[in-house]
Amino acid sequence: MKAVVWKSYNQLVYSDVQEPQCTDGSVKIKVMSAGVCATDVHVISGNFDNGKPPHILGHEICGEIVEIGKNVRSVQAGDRVVVETAVGCGQCVYCRTGNKHLCINGGEIGFPPFAGGYAQYVAAPENCVRRIPETISNDAGAILEAVACPAGAVYRIGLKPDDTVLIQGAGIAGLSFVQTARAFGVKKVIVAARNETRLDFARKFGADITINTKKENLTERVQEETGGRGADLSIEAAGAPATIEQAIKLVKKNGKVILYGIPDDTAEVSFPVKEMIMNQITAYGVTNNELVWEPLIDLVAAGRIQVNEMVTHCFPLRELDEAVELLKRHPDDLIKAVVHPWEI
């Protein structure tokens, strides 16, 4: 089969490799679309340590099951599926409490030792695949993992109808938080970003208030929009040291903060401990939630969360290196890019 192999740092090679084997309890999937994640870009360049090359990356996957292994019961060949990439042992305390992404013996499809979706076929454990209806396109399915993580964070922590939510960042994560908060029916969604095009996207996907931090004082605007209290939930979805600090300073007393954006390993983050203690702020580091997949698929199928509209760029698999360069440049019109393994 054709695949893109991460050969060494900053080197991707489109080549022929052996197809994965369908083992006991697993399925073999014909990959129809794979999302290109910024995390992969950082891994490829060596700025984020999550395994060593050579390896087939790609953890945002949609396709069709073409083969099932022994003892597979819940899915069958021909099913269209997305891949929930956390692989758990099923026995540890994390797996038994709905947190298999924290499994002490597991890993993640797309990162060593589990081959990922930048290939024509991928193998996955049965409990890592979720069926999707025909109303969800392959490209929407491919980036569903990128939506599931932000949605899962909100699903885990919860929201109330009278909450005001502040979101810093208007990339795929920030826009997913916007739509999830809207689906929860909150009172007000505020989005802050440095780019007006990004803020246009935020408004399109449901933000009530947008703040251009290049032109406006963020603290003053948040205070104005919250009656001087601060946000009930403050979400950091940019991964920058400055916005991480602001996320804690802009939440109300006794409020909640979601830390989602991951800074580079070289970044120095100043954490406002005094504000957290004196204002009784609770901060959550959240990355995944296996329990959110079924309700999220239902919301997407019902049109309450618009995923397909967030796919802005498509490439054949052989041009993955071009997609990676696009993410590095990060143009204003980019929300999410996907690659198609079977496109010539």
Side-chain angles (χ1 to χ4, degrees):
M1 69 174 182
K2 296 294 186 182
V4 172
V5 180
W6 173 42
K7 285 287 189 180
S8 62
Y9 294 112
N10 292 312
Q11 184 184 18
L12 297 172
V13 178
Y14 181 66
S15 59
D16 289 301
V17 302
Q18 187 174 357
E19 292 184 14
Q21 299 298 307
C22 188
T23 58
D24 189 10
S26 72
V27 301
K28 182 177 177 180
I29 300 166
K30 180 179 181 180
V31 181
M32 303 308 296
S33 184
V36 184
C37 181
T39 299
D40 285 342
V41 176
H42 295 313
V43 169
I44 291 165
S45 64
N47 291 326
F48 184 77
D49 187 8
N50 201 356
K52 308 298 182 186
H55 190 68
I56 298 173
L57 298 167
H59 57 278
E60 301 175 3
I61 304 164
C62 180
E64 179 183 325
I65 294 176
V66 294
E67 183 182 349
I68 62 173
K70 293 181 180 179
N71 300 312
V72 171
R73 300 286 184 267
S74 64
V75 291
Q76 59 187 356
D79 285 348
R80 294 180 65 246
V81 295
V82 293
V83 177
E84 187 254 307
T85 52
V87 179
C89 68
Q91 303 300 319
C92 70
V93 63
Y94 299 109
C95 287
R96 290 186 282 109
T97 55
N99 292 285
K100 71 174 180 174
H101 60 290
L102 302 178
C103 176
I104 56 178
N105 303 307
E108 185 175 2
I109 295 168
F111 297 106
F114 304 102
Y118 295 149
Q120 291 181 319
Y121 295 99
V122 67
E126 176 186 11
N127 66 1
C128 286
V129 297
R130 304 286 186 270
R131 282 192 297 253
I132 58 172
E134 292 298 324
T135 52
I136 297 179
S137 71
N138 289 328
D139 287 346
I143 72 165
L144 203 59
E145 195 273 346
V147 182
C149 290
V154 174
Y155 189 81
R156 188 182 300 278
I157 293 164
L159 282 171
K160 301 188 297 296
D162 61 345
D163 280 347
T164 293
V165 179
L166 168 66
I167 301 162
Q168 292 187 83
I172 180 66
L175 298 176
S176 298
F177 276 119
V178 169
Q179 295 200 65
T180 303
R182 282 270 73 94
F184 269 72
V186 300
K187 179 175 67 175
K188 184 183 291 186
V189 178
I190 305 170
V191 176
R194 295 167 55 83
N195 183 286
E196 198 60 40
T197 300
R198 297 273 170 186
L199 294 174
D200 287 340
F201 283 129
R203 287 187 285 270
K204 173 183 176 180
F205 290 114
D208 299 297
I209 304 296
T210 57
I211 303 171
N212 187 323
T213 56
K214 282 187 175 181
K215 301 177 180 179
E216 303 176 82
N217 184 294
L218 178 60
T219 300
E220 290 179 0
R221 283 297 313 277
V222 171
Q223 292 298 307
E224 176 186 337
E225 295 295 338
T226 61
R229 296 186 315 135
D232 298 285
L233 174 64
S234 177
I235 300 173
E236 200 290 319
T243 51
I244 292 171
E245 184 174 357
Q246 286 176 320
I248 293 168
K249 292 185 175 182
L250 296 174
V251 73
K252 73 175 186 179
K253 293 182 179 181
N254 203 32
K256 298 176 182 179
V257 176
I258 289 177
L259 300 176
Y260 183 84
I262 300 177
D264 286 345
D265 288 344
T266 57
E268 294 184 6
V269 179
S270 176
F271 212 68
V273 176
K274 179 181 176 181
E275 284 87 349
M276 291 190 65
I277 294 171
M278 299 304 295
N279 293 328
Q280 295 184 192
I281 294 167
T282 302
Y284 298 85
V286 189
T287 179
N288 203 334
N289 186 349
E290 64 181 290
L291 302 179
V292 79
W293 281 86
E294 276 74 20
L296 176 60
I297 289 171
D298 289 343
L299 286 170
V300 174
R304 294 183 62 193
I305 292 182
Q306 302 293 325
V307 176
N308 205 63
E309 287 79 359
M310 293 195 287
V311 179
T312 55
H313 295 74
C314 301
F315 298 82
L317 178 62
R318 68 177 185 278
E319 295 178 5
L320 175 62
D321 56 346
E322 295 185 23
V324 168
E325 290 303 314
L326 178 75
L327 265 68
K328 288 180 180 179
R329 296 196 308 272
H330 207 67
D332 294 348
D333 63 342
L334 170 67
I335 300 178
K336 194 68 177 178
V338 299
V339 292
H340 298 151
W342 296 92
E343 184 177 320
I344 303 302

Coordinates of all heavy atoms in Angstrom, one line a residue, residues 29-38 40 57-64 80-85 108-109 116-119 122 128 130-150 172 176 293 296-297 300 306-315 317 320 335-341:
I29 N -9.0 -1.0 8.2 CA -9.8 0.1 7.7 C -9.1 0.6 6.4 O -7.9 0.9 6.4 CB -9.9 1.2 8.7 CG1 -10.6 0.7 10.0 CG2 -10.7 2.4 8.2 CD1 -10.5 1.6 11.2
K30 N -9.9 0.8 5.4 CA -9.5 1.5 4.2 C -9.7 3.0 4.5 O -10.8 3.5 4.7 CB -10.3 1.1 3.0 CG -9.9 1.8 1.7 CD -10.8 1.3 0.5 CE -10.4 2.0 -0.8 NZ -11.3 1.6 -1.9
V31 N -8.6 3.7 4.6 CA -8.6 5.1 5.0 C -9.1 6.0 3.8 O -8.4 6.0 2.8 CB -7.2 5.6 5.5 CG1 -7.3 7.0 5.9 CG2 -6.7 4.7 6.6
M32 N -10.2 6.7 4.0 CA -10.7 7.5 3.0 C -10.3 9.0 3.1 O -10.2 9.7 2.2 CB -12.2 7.5 2.9 CG -12.8 6.0 2.7 SD -12.0 5.2 1.3 CE -12.6 6.2 0.0
S33 N -10.0 9.4 4.4 CA -9.6 10.8 4.7 C -8.9 10.8 6.0 O -9.3 10.1 6.9 CB -10.8 11.7 4.7 OG -10.4 13.1 4.8
A34 N -7.9 11.6 6.1 CA -7.1 11.7 7.4 C -6.8 13.2 7.6 O -6.3 13.9 6.8 CB -5.8 10.9 7.3
G35 N -7.2 13.7 8.8 CA -6.9 15.0 9.2 C -5.4 15.3 9.5 O -4.7 14.4 10.0
V36 N -5.0 16.5 9.1 CA -3.6 16.8 9.4 C -3.6 17.7 10.6 O -4.1 18.8 10.6 CB -3.0 17.6 8.2 CG1 -1.5 17.9 8.4 CG2 -3.1 16.8 6.9
C37 N -3.0 17.2 11.7 CA -3.0 17.8 13.0 C -1.7 18.6 13.2 O -0.6 18.2 12.9 CB -3.2 16.8 14.1 SG -3.3 17.4 15.7
A38 N -1.9 19.8 13.9 CA -0.7 20.6 14.2 C 0.2 19.8 15.2 O 1.4 20.1 15.1 CB -1.2 21.9 14.9
D40 N 1.0 16.7 14.9 CA 1.9 16.0 14.0 C 3.0 16.8 13.4 O 4.2 16.4 13.3 CB 1.1 15.3 12.8 CG 0.3 14.1 13.3 OD1 0.6 13.6 14.3 OD2 -0.6 13.8 12.6
L57 N 2.6 8.3 10.9 CA 1.8 9.2 11.8 C 0.3 9.2 11.3 O -0.1 8.6 10.3 CB 2.4 10.5 11.9 CG 3.8 10.6 12.4 CD1 4.4 12.0 12.2 CD2 3.8 10.3 13.9
G58 N -0.5 10.1 11.9 CA -1.9 10.3 11.5 C -2.8 9.7 12.4 O -3.1 8.5 12.5
H59 N -3.5 10.6 13.3 CA -4.4 10.1 14.3 C -5.8 10.6 14.1 O -6.6 10.4 15.0 CB -3.9 10.4 15.7 CG -3.6 11.9 15.9 ND1 -2.5 12.5 15.5 CD2 -4.4 12.8 16.5 CE1 -2.6 13.8 15.9 NE2 -3.7 14.0 16.4
E60 N -6.1 11.2 13.0 CA -7.5 11.7 12.7 C -7.9 10.9 11.5 O -7.5 11.3 10.4 CB -7.5 13.2 12.5 CG -7.0 13.9 13.7 CD -6.9 15.4 13.5 OE1 -7.3 15.9 12.4 OE2 -6.5 16.2 14.4
I61 N -8.8 9.9 11.6 CA -9.0 8.9 10.6 C -10.4 8.6 10.4 O -11.2 8.4 11.3 CB -8.3 7.6 11.0 CG1 -6.8 7.9 11.3 CG2 -8.4 6.5 9.9 CD1 -6.1 6.7 12.0
C62 N -10.8 8.6 9.1 CA -12.2 8.1 8.7 C -12.0 7.1 7.5 O -11.2 7.4 6.6 CB -13.0 9.3 8.3 SG -14.7 8.8 7.8
G63 N -12.8 6.1 7.5 CA -12.7 5.1 6.5 C -13.8 4.0 6.5 O -14.8 4.2 7.2
E64 N -13.5 3.0 5.8 CA -14.4 1.9 5.7 C -13.8 0.6 6.2 O -12.6 0.3 5.7 CB -15.0 1.7 4.3 CG -15.9 0.6 4.1 CD -16.4 0.4 2.7 OE1 -16.5 1.5 2.0 OE2 -16.6 -0.7 2.2
R80 N -18.9 2.3 7.8 CA -18.1 3.5 7.7 C -17.8 3.9 9.2 O -18.7 3.9 10.0 CB -18.8 4.6 7.0 CG -19.0 4.4 5.5 CD -19.8 5.5 4.9 NE -19.0 6.8 4.9 CZ -19.3 7.9 5.6 NH1 -20.5 7.9 6.3 NH2 -18.6 9.0 5.5
V81 N -16.5 4.2 9.5 CA -16.2 4.4 10.9 C -15.2 5.6 11.0 O -14.5 5.9 10.0 CB -15.5 3.2 11.5 CG1 -16.5 2.0 11.6 CG2 -14.3 2.7 10.7
V82 N -15.2 6.2 12.2 CA -14.1 7.0 12.6 C -13.3 6.3 13.7 O -13.8 5.4 14.3 CB -14.6 8.4 13.1 CG1 -15.2 9.2 12.0 CG2 -15.6 8.2 14.2
V83 N -12.1 6.7 13.9 CA -11.2 6.1 14.8 C -11.0 7.0 16.0 O -10.6 8.1 15.9 CB -9.8 5.7 14.2 CG1 -8.9 5.1 15.2 CG2 -10.0 4.8 13.0
E84 N -11.3 6.4 17.2 CA -11.0 7.0 18.5 C -9.7 6.5 18.9 O -9.6 5.3 19.2 CB -12.1 6.7 19.5 CG -12.0 7.5 20.8 CD -11.5 6.6 21.9 OE1 -12.1 5.5 22.2 OE2 -10.5 7.0 22.6
T85 N -8.7 7.3 18.8 CA -7.3 6.8 18.7 C -6.7 6.3 20.0 O -5.6 5.6 20.0 CB -6.4 7.8 18.1 OG1 -6.5 9.0 18.8 CG2 -6.7 8.0 16.6
E108 N -1.5 5.5 21.5 CA -2.4 6.2 20.6 C -2.1 5.8 19.2 O -0.9 5.9 18.8 CB -2.3 7.7 20.8 CG -3.3 8.5 20.0 CD -3.2 10.0 20.2 OE1 -2.4 10.4 21.0 OE2 -4.0 10.7 19.6
I109 N -3.1 5.4 18.5 CA -3.0 5.1 17.1 C -2.5 6.4 16.3 O -3.0 7.5 16.5 CB -4.3 4.7 16.4 CG1 -4.7 3.3 17.1 CG2 -4.2 4.5 14.9 CD1 -6.1 2.9 16.8
G116 N -0.4 4.9 12.0 CA -1.5 5.8 11.9 C -2.1 5.8 10.5 O -1.9 4.9 9.7
G117 N -2.9 6.9 10.2 CA -3.7 7.0 9.1 C -3.2 7.7 7.9 O -3.9 7.9 6.9
Y118 N -1.9 8.1 7.9 CA -1.3 8.6 6.7 C -0.9 7.5 5.8 O 0.3 7.3 5.4 CB -0.1 9.5 7.0 CG -0.5 10.8 7.8 CD1 0.4 11.3 8.7 CD2 -1.7 11.4 7.6 CE1 0.1 12.5 9.4 CE2 -2.0 12.6 8.3 CZ -1.1 13.1 9.2 OH -1.4 14.2 10.0
A119 N -1.9 6.7 5.4 CA -1.7 5.4 4.7 C -3.0 5.0 4.1 O -4.1 5.5 4.5 CB -1.1 4.3 5.5
V122 N -5.2 1.1 7.7 CA -4.8 1.2 9.1 C -5.5 0.1 9.9 O -6.7 -0.2 9.5 CB -5.0 2.6 9.7 CG1 -6.5 2.9 9.8 CG2 -4.3 2.7 11.0
C128 N -11.9 0.9 19.4 CA -11.5 2.2 19.0 C -12.2 2.8 17.8 O -11.8 3.8 17.3 CB -10.0 2.2 18.7 SG -8.9 2.1 20.2
R130 N -15.8 3.9 15.8 CA -17.2 4.3 16.0 C -17.9 4.5 14.6 O -17.4 5.1 13.7 CB -17.2 5.7 16.7 CG -16.5 5.7 18.0 CD -17.3 5.0 19.1 NE -16.6 5.2 20.4 CZ -15.7 4.4 20.9 NH1 -15.3 3.3 20.2 NH2 -15.2 4.6 22.1
R131 N -19.0 3.8 14.5 CA -19.8 3.9 13.2 C -20.3 5.3 13.0 O -20.7 6.0 14.0 CB -20.9 2.9 13.2 CG -20.5 1.5 12.9 CD -21.7 0.6 12.6 NE -22.6 0.5 13.8 CZ -22.7 -0.5 14.6 NH1 -22.0 -1.6 14.3 NH2 -23.5 -0.5 15.6
I132 N -20.4 5.8 11.8 CA -20.9 7.1 11.5 C -22.0 6.9 10.4 O -21.9 6.0 9.5 CB -19.9 8.1 11.0 CG1 -19.1 7.6 9.8 CG2 -19.0 8.4 12.1 CD1 -18.2 8.6 9.2
P133 N -23.0 7.7 10.4 CA -24.1 7.6 9.3 C -23.6 8.2 8.0 O -22.6 9.0 8.0 CB -25.2 8.4 9.9 CG -24.5 9.4 10.8 CD -23.3 8.8 11.4
E134 N -24.3 8.0 7.0 CA -24.0 8.5 5.6 C -24.1 10.0 5.6 O -23.5 10.7 4.7 CB -24.9 7.9 4.6 CG -24.8 6.4 4.3 CD -23.4 6.1 3.8 OE1 -22.8 6.9 3.0 OE2 -22.8 5.0 4.2
T135 N -24.8 10.6 6.5 CA -24.9 12.1 6.5 C -23.6 12.8 6.9 O -23.5 14.0 6.8 CB -26.0 12.5 7.5 OG1 -25.8 11.9 8.8 CG2 -27.4 12.1 6.9
I136 N -22.7 12.1 7.5 CA -21.4 12.6 7.9 C -20.4 12.2 6.8 O -20.1 11.0 6.5 CB -20.9 12.1 9.3 CG1 -21.9 12.6 10.3 CG2 -19.5 12.6 9.6 CD1 -21.5 12.1 11.7
S137 N -19.8 13.2 6.1 CA -18.8 13.0 5.0 C -17.5 12.4 5.6 O -17.2 12.4 6.7 CB -18.6 14.3 4.3 OG -17.7 15.1 5.1
N138 N -16.8 11.8 4.6 CA -15.4 11.3 5.0 C -14.5 12.4 5.6 O -13.8 12.1 6.6 CB -14.8 10.7 3.8 CG -15.4 9.4 3.3 OD1 -16.0 8.6 4.1 ND2 -15.4 9.1 2.0
D139 N -14.5 13.5 5.0 CA -13.7 14.6 5.5 C -14.1 15.1 6.9 O -13.3 15.3 7.7 CB -13.7 15.8 4.5 CG -12.9 15.5 3.3 OD1 -12.1 14.5 3.2 OD2 -13.0 16.3 2.3
A140 N -15.4 15.2 7.1 CA -15.9 15.5 8.4 C -15.6 14.5 9.4 O -15.1 14.8 10.5 CB -17.4 15.7 8.4
G141 N -15.7 13.2 9.0 CA -15.3 12.1 9.9 C -13.8 12.2 10.2 O -13.4 11.9 11.4
A142 N -13.0 12.5 9.2 CA -11.6 12.6 9.4 C -11.2 13.5 10.5 O -10.2 13.3 11.3 CB -10.9 12.9 8.1
I143 N -11.8 14.7 10.6 CA -11.4 15.7 11.6 C -12.3 15.6 12.9 O -12.1 16.4 13.8 CB -11.5 17.1 11.0 CG1 -12.9 17.6 10.8 CG2 -10.7 17.2 9.7 CD1 -13.0 19.1 10.6
L144 N -13.1 14.6 13.0 CA -14.0 14.5 14.1 C -13.2 14.3 15.4 O -13.6 14.8 16.5 CB -15.0 13.3 14.0 CG -16.2 13.4 14.8 CD1 -17.0 14.6 14.5 CD2 -17.1 12.1 14.6
E145 N -12.0 13.6 15.3 CA -11.2 13.5 16.5 C -10.7 14.8 17.0 O -10.6 15.1 18.2 CB -10.0 12.6 16.2 CG -9.2 12.1 17.4 CD -8.1 13.0 17.9 OE1 -7.7 13.9 17.2 OE2 -7.7 12.8 19.0
A146 N -10.4 15.8 16.1 CA -10.0 17.1 16.5 C -11.1 17.9 17.2 O -10.9 18.8 17.9 CB -9.5 17.9 15.3
V147 N -12.4 17.5 16.9 CA -13.5 18.1 17.6 C -13.8 17.4 18.9 O -14.3 18.0 19.9 CB -14.7 18.1 16.6 CG1 -15.9 18.8 17.3 CG2 -14.4 18.8 15.3
A148 N -13.6 16.1 18.9 CA -14.0 15.3 20.0 C -13.2 15.7 21.3 O -13.7 15.6 22.4 CB -13.8 13.8 19.7
C149 N -11.9 16.0 21.1 CA -11.1 16.4 22.3 C -11.7 17.7 23.0 O -11.9 17.7 24.2 CB -9.7 16.5 21.9 SG -8.9 14.9 21.5
P150 N -11.9 18.8 22.2 CA -12.5 19.9 22.9 C -13.9 19.7 23.4 O -14.3 20.0 24.5 CB -12.5 21.0 21.8 CG -11.5 20.6 20.8 CD -11.5 19.1 20.9
I172 N -9.0 25.3 15.0 CA -10.0 24.2 15.0 C -10.4 23.9 16.4 O -11.6 23.6 16.7 CB -9.4 22.9 14.4 CG1 -10.4 21.8 14.4 CG2 -8.1 22.5 15.0 CD1 -11.6 21.9 13.5
S176 N -14.3 24.5 17.7 CA -15.0 23.4 18.3 C -15.5 23.7 19.7 O -16.7 23.3 20.0 CB -14.0 22.1 18.4 OG -13.6 21.8 17.1
W293 N -17.9 10.4 22.3 CA -18.0 10.1 20.8 C -19.4 9.9 20.3 O -19.8 10.5 19.3 CB -17.1 8.9 20.5 CG -15.7 9.3 20.4 CD1 -14.8 9.4 21.4 CD2 -15.0 9.7 19.2 NE1 -13.5 9.8 20.9 CE2 -13.6 10.0 19.6 CE3 -15.3 9.8 17.9 CZ2 -12.7 10.4 18.7 CZ3 -14.4 10.2 17.0 CH2 -13.1 10.5 17.4
L296 N -21.4 13.1 20.4 CA -20.9 14.1 19.4 C -21.3 13.7 18.0 O -21.7 14.5 17.2 CB -19.4 14.1 19.5 CG -18.7 15.0 18.4 CD1 -19.2 16.4 18.5 CD2 -17.2 14.9 18.6
I297 N -21.2 12.4 17.7 CA -21.7 11.9 16.4 C -23.1 12.3 16.1 O -23.5 12.7 15.1 CB -21.4 10.4 16.2 CG1 -19.9 10.2 16.1 CG2 -22.1 9.8 15.0 CD1 -19.5 8.7 16.2
V300 N -23.4 16.0 15.4 CA -23.0 16.3 14.0 C -24.0 15.9 13.0 O -24.3 16.6 12.1 CB -21.6 15.7 13.8 CG1 -21.2 15.9 12.3 CG2 -20.5 16.3 14.7
Q306 N -21.3 21.9 13.2 CA -20.9 21.9 11.8 C -19.5 21.5 11.7 O -18.6 22.3 12.0 CB -21.2 23.3 11.2 CG -22.6 23.8 11.3 CD -23.6 22.9 10.5 OE1 -23.2 22.5 9.4 NE2 -24.8 22.8 11.0
V307 N -19.2 20.3 11.2 CA -17.8 19.9 11.1 C -17.3 20.0 9.7 O -16.2 20.4 9.5 CB -17.7 18.4 11.6 CG1 -16.3 17.9 11.4 CG2 -18.0 18.3 13.1
N308 N -18.1 19.6 8.7 CA -17.7 19.6 7.3 C -17.2 21.0 6.9 O -16.3 21.2 6.1 CB -18.8 19.2 6.4 CG -18.3 18.6 5.1 OD1 -17.6 17.6 5.1 ND2 -18.6 19.2 4.0
E309 N -17.8 22.1 7.5 CA -17.5 23.4 7.1 C -16.1 23.9 7.6 O -15.6 24.9 7.2 CB -18.6 24.4 7.6 CG -19.9 24.3 6.8 CD -20.8 23.1 7.2 OE1 -20.3 22.4 8.1 OE2 -21.9 23.0 6.7
M310 N -15.6 23.1 8.5 CA -14.3 23.4 9.1 C -13.1 22.8 8.3 O -12.0 23.1 8.6 CB -14.2 23.0 10.5 CG -15.1 23.8 11.4 SD -14.7 23.7 13.2 CE -15.3 22.1 13.6
V311 N -13.5 22.0 7.3 CA -12.4 21.5 6.4 C -12.2 22.5 5.3 O -13.1 22.7 4.4 CB -12.8 20.1 5.8 CG1 -11.8 19.6 4.8 CG2 -13.1 19.1 6.9
T312 N -11.1 23.1 5.3 CA -10.8 24.2 4.3 C -9.8 23.8 3.2 O -9.8 24.5 2.2 CB -10.3 25.5 5.1 OG1 -9.2 25.1 5.9 CG2 -11.4 26.0 6.0
H313 N -9.0 22.8 3.4 CA -8.0 22.4 2.5 C -7.9 20.9 2.4 O -7.9 20.2 3.4 CB -6.6 23.0 2.9 CG -6.5 24.5 2.9 ND1 -7.1 25.3 3.9 CD2 -5.9 25.4 2.0 CE1 -6.9 26.5 3.6 NE2 -6.2 26.6 2.5
C314 N -7.8 20.4 1.1 CA -7.6 19.0 0.8 C -6.4 18.7 -0.1 O -6.2 19.5 -1.0 CB -8.9 18.5 0.2 SG -10.4 18.7 1.1
F315 N -5.7 17.6 0.2 CA -4.6 17.2 -0.5 C -4.6 15.7 -0.8 O -5.1 15.0 0.1 CB -3.3 17.5 0.3 CG -3.0 19.0 0.6 CD1 -3.6 19.6 1.7 CD2 -2.2 19.7 -0.2 CE1 -3.4 20.9 2.0 CE2 -1.9 21.1 0.1 CZ -2.5 21.7 1.2
L317 N -2.7 12.2 -0.5 CA -1.7 11.8 0.5 C -0.3 12.1 0.1 O 0.5 12.4 0.9 CB -1.9 10.3 0.8 CG -0.9 9.7 1.8 CD1 -1.1 10.3 3.2 CD2 -1.1 8.1 1.9
L320 N 1.3 15.2 1.5 CA 1.3 15.5 2.9 C 2.3 16.5 3.3 O 2.0 17.4 4.1 CB 1.4 14.2 3.7 CG 1.5 14.4 5.2 CD1 0.2 15.0 5.8 CD2 1.8 13.0 5.9
I335 N -8.5 26.4 8.5 CA -9.0 25.9 9.7 C -8.5 24.5 9.9 O -7.8 24.1 10.8 CB -10.6 25.9 9.8 CG1 -11.2 27.3 9.6 CG2 -11.0 25.2 11.1 CD1 -12.7 27.3 9.6
K336 N -8.8 23.6 8.9 CA -8.3 22.2 9.0 C -8.1 21.7 7.6 O -8.8 21.9 6.6 CB -9.4 21.4 9.6 CG -9.0 20.0 10.1 CD -8.0 20.1 11.2 CE -7.6 18.7 11.7 NZ -6.6 18.8 12.8
A337 N -6.9 21.0 7.4 CA -6.6 20.3 6.2 C -6.7 18.8 6.4 O -6.5 18.3 7.4 CB -5.1 20.6 5.8
V338 N -7.1 18.1 5.3 CA -7.1 16.7 5.2 C -6.4 16.1 4.0 O -6.1 16.9 3.1 CB -8.6 16.2 5.2 CG1 -9.4 16.6 6.4 CG2 -9.3 16.6 3.9
V339 N -6.0 14.9 4.1 CA -5.3 14.2 3.0 C -6.2 13.0 2.6 O -6.8 12.4 3.4 CB -3.9 13.7 3.3 CG1 -3.0 14.9 3.5 CG2 -3.8 12.8 4.5
H340 N -6.2 12.7 1.3 CA -7.0 11.6 0.7 C -6.0 10.5 0.2 O -5.3 10.7 -0.8 CB -7.9 12.1 -0.4 CG -8.9 13.1 0.0 ND1 -9.3 14.1 -0.8 CD2 -9.5 13.3 1.2 CE1 -10.2 14.8 -0.1 NE2 -10.3 14.4 1.1
P341 N -5.9 9.4 0.9 CA -4.9 8.3 0.5 C -5.2 7.7 -0.9 O -4.2 7.2 -1.5 CB -5.0 7.3 1.6 CG -5.5 8.1 2.8 CD -6.5 9.1 2.2

